[in-house]
Amino acid sequence: MKTLEVSLAERSYPIYIGQNLLSQSQLLQKHIKAKEVLIVTNETIAPLYLKQLEKSLTGYRYQSVILPDGEAFKNLDVMNQIFDALLKSRFSRQVTLIALGGGVIGDMAGFAAACYQRGVPFIQIPTTLLSQVDSSVGGKTAVNHALGKNMIGAFYQPQCVLADTNTLNTLEDRQLSSGLAEVIKYGLINDAIFFEWLEKNISALKNRDPAALAYAIERSCHDKADLVAKDETEKGVRALLNLGHTFGHAIETGMGYGNWLHGEAIAVGMLMAADLSARQGWIEPSDVKRIRDLFEIAGLPVTGPNDMGPEQYLSLMSVDKKVQNGVIRLILMKGIGQAVITDDYDRNKLQETLSQFQA
C-alpha cells in the first residue's frame, strides 16, 4: 500500500492506494469519528462491493442509499435521496458519509456531507480509474444543472481517500479509457516526464497491468495533491487541473449528461486546447500529434460531436467557473508539461479550432 498526504493544515488527509483495501476494516474505521455511517453508492457498484464494505462496519449503526448510475442523475433531485436517508435514520452531526463509487457518487456524497446539518465528515472510496486519479482528491463536490456542469457545489475535504485498485478489475473498458484521459492530463499540465512514461506504457495501462496502473494512480494523485495543497479553492494554479475542461464540459452539457463520458469529452477538450495553443505558436504541430496519438491508443475520441458548432460551444463555454468579467479564460499550453491560465488568445483562432473539431 502507498500512502500520500494532501497537505491542507487542519484539513489534511491521507490517500491510500493499493490492493484489497476494502477488506482492511481497521484502515477505514480509524477515519470514522462516531458509530453512525451512511454509505452512498449506485446500482452498478452495490452488487459488487457493498457487502464487502458493510463487513468492515460491524459494530456501527449504518444504512445504505443506492442511487441510479450515471452522469444524468447527478442533480439536486437525486441528491435529495441522500438527505431522505439521513433524516429517516435520524442520523446526527456525528454521522460519516462513505462514497462508494465513481466520480458522480463521490461528488454527490461529498456535497451532501457539506450540506447536512452544515457539514458532517465523509470518506471517499473511489471505484473507477477516473475517480481514483482525479475526482476523489481535492475536495471539489458538486451536482450538475441543466445549463452547466458542476455549477452547484462546495469545496469540502474528505477524511481520507481509500483507492482499492482491485475495483478496477470490474471496470468496463470504456470507463477505463475515460479515466486514462485524466491520467494523461497530469503529464500535459506540469509533468512532461510522466507524459513520456505514458507514451511508453499506455498499452500496459489499457491491458490493466497492475504495476503500471498502481504507478499511474500514485503519480497522478501526487501531482494533483501538490496543486491542491498550493491552492485549495482554485484561486490560481489549481485551475491548471481544468486543462480541456472548458471545451469538454461544453460537450457534456451540449450532448446531454452521460452521452459522452467525462474523460471522453475532456480528451477532445485537451486536444482542442492543444490545437489552439499550436495556432497561437506556443507549441509545435508535432506536439499536437503526440497528444492525439496517445489519446487514440488509449481508446479515446479525437474529434468532437457532429452536431456541435462554434456558436453552441461558445454559448456553453460562457457558463464556466473560470469566466471573469464576461471573458472566457482557458487553460492552454506553452509546451507538453507547461500549462498556463490565460485570456490572452486570438478569438479568431479559437473560432478556427472550434470549427476544426466539428466531426
Side-chain angles (χ1 to χ4, degrees):
M1 184 180 74
K2 298 285 187 180
T3 304
L4 303 174
E5 184 83 5
V6 181
S7 299
L8 294 168
E10 70 277 3
R11 293 178 305 287
S12 298
Y13 56 92
I15 306 168
Y16 304 113
I17 304 166
Q19 296 179 306
N20 302 311
L21 301 189
L22 265 176
S23 60
Q24 297 184 30
S25 57
Q26 75 286 354
L27 191 63
L28 178 66
Q29 290 176 9
K30 71 179 183 178
H31 295 286
I32 300 175
K33 297 180 178 180
K35 291 294 184 180
E36 298 177 349
V37 175
L38 180 71
I39 303 167
V40 182
T41 188
N42 67 34
E43 296 167 342
T44 301
I45 295 301
L48 298 171
Y49 301 113
L50 181 55
K51 287 185 179 178
Q52 189 175 354
L53 176 58
E54 288 175 342
K55 287 179 181 177
S56 294
L57 295 172
T58 301
Y60 289 78
R61 183 167 80 89
Y62 65 84
Q63 294 290 334
S64 301
V65 58
I66 300 173
L67 304 179
D69 185 14
E71 190 80 26
F73 302 102
K74 186 181 169 184
N75 55 54
L76 287 170
D77 287 340
V78 175
M79 196 173 81
N80 258 327
Q81 296 180 36
I82 302 174
F83 297 130
D84 289 344
L86 287 162
L87 290 163
K88 286 176 182 177
S89 297
R90 299 184 182 275
F91 281 135
S92 71
R93 296 185 78 177
Q94 280 68 53
V95 67
T96 295
L97 272 64
I98 298 179
L100 175 67
V104 170
I105 288 296
D107 278 12
M108 293 177 73
F111 188 29
C115 297
Y116 186 64
Q117 298 200 36
R118 299 182 177 88
V120 298
F122 86 108
I123 290 169
Q124 289 271 21
I125 304 183
T127 60
T128 65
L129 180 60
L130 192 148
S131 59
Q132 289 184 2
V133 302
D134 185 63
S135 60
S136 68
V137 178
K140 273 189 175 181
T141 71
V143 294
N144 299 329
H145 187 278
L147 298 178
K149 183 177 167 71
N150 291 335
M151 295 303 288
I152 305 167
F155 288 97
Y156 196 68
Q157 303 296 341
Q159 301 299 302
C160 72
V161 177
L162 195 153
D164 188 335
T165 55
N166 282 3
T167 62
L168 302 182
N169 295 332
T170 55
L171 194 62
E172 295 177 356
D173 288 344
R174 186 183 172 198
Q175 291 282 356
L176 182 76
S177 291
S178 179
L180 288 174
E182 291 285 5
V183 173
I184 294 167
K185 177 189 75 178
Y186 295 107
L188 291 175
I189 60 174
N190 67 352
D191 197 342
I193 294 173
F194 185 38
F195 185 86
E196 292 173 4
W197 181 90
L198 288 167
E199 289 181 302
K200 296 173 184 174
N201 292 276
I202 192 67
S203 295
L205 293 170
K206 275 279 288 178
N207 292 325
R208 302 171 193 253
D209 178 81
L213 280 170
Y215 176 77
I217 294 167
E218 181 186 359
R219 184 74 171 244
S220 299
C221 288
H222 175 274
D223 285 351
K224 180 161 189 179
D226 182 59
L227 285 174
V228 171
K230 293 174 181 175
D231 178 22
E232 180 180 3
T233 56
E234 203 170 289
K235 299 292 194 301
V237 294
R238 180 172 176 166
L240 294 174
L241 293 166
N242 290 314
L243 175 67
H245 284 55
T246 303
F247 299 105
H249 284 174
I251 293 173
E252 289 187 86
T253 305
M255 298 307 294
Y257 297 123
N259 289 308
W260 279 57
L261 296 182
H262 177 69
E264 294 170 342
I266 298 312
V268 174
M270 286 189 277
L271 266 178
M272 294 171 91
D275 180 87
L276 179 54
S277 299
R279 291 175 191 274
Q280 293 281 129
W282 297 349
I283 65 174
E284 297 297 324
S286 58
D287 293 327
V288 181
K289 184 179 186 303
R290 287 175 67 191
I291 297 166
R292 182 184 294 109
D293 289 348
L294 190 56
F295 282 140
E296 286 186 323
I297 298 170
L300 290 158
V302 293
T303 57
N306 288 332
D307 49 358
M308 278 189 67
E311 295 76 17
Q312 187 177 9
Y313 274 106
L314 289 171
S315 175
L316 292 168
M317 289 165 65
S318 68
V319 186
D320 183 88
K321 295 180 289 296
K322 293 181 293 301
V323 170
Q324 287 188 353
N325 300 316
V327 176
I328 300 172
R329 294 187 303 153
L330 295 173
I331 315 304
L332 300 178
M333 292 161 37
K334 294 292 181 77
I336 289 178
Q338 291 179 266
V340 294
I341 309 160
T342 183
D343 60 10
D344 184 20
Y345 55 87
D346 188 317
R347 271 55 179 175
N348 292 325
K349 288 182 169 58
L350 172 59
Q351 286 276 356
E352 292 171 5
T353 290
L354 295 175
S355 298
Q356 174 73 26
F357 277 81
Q358 187 170 2

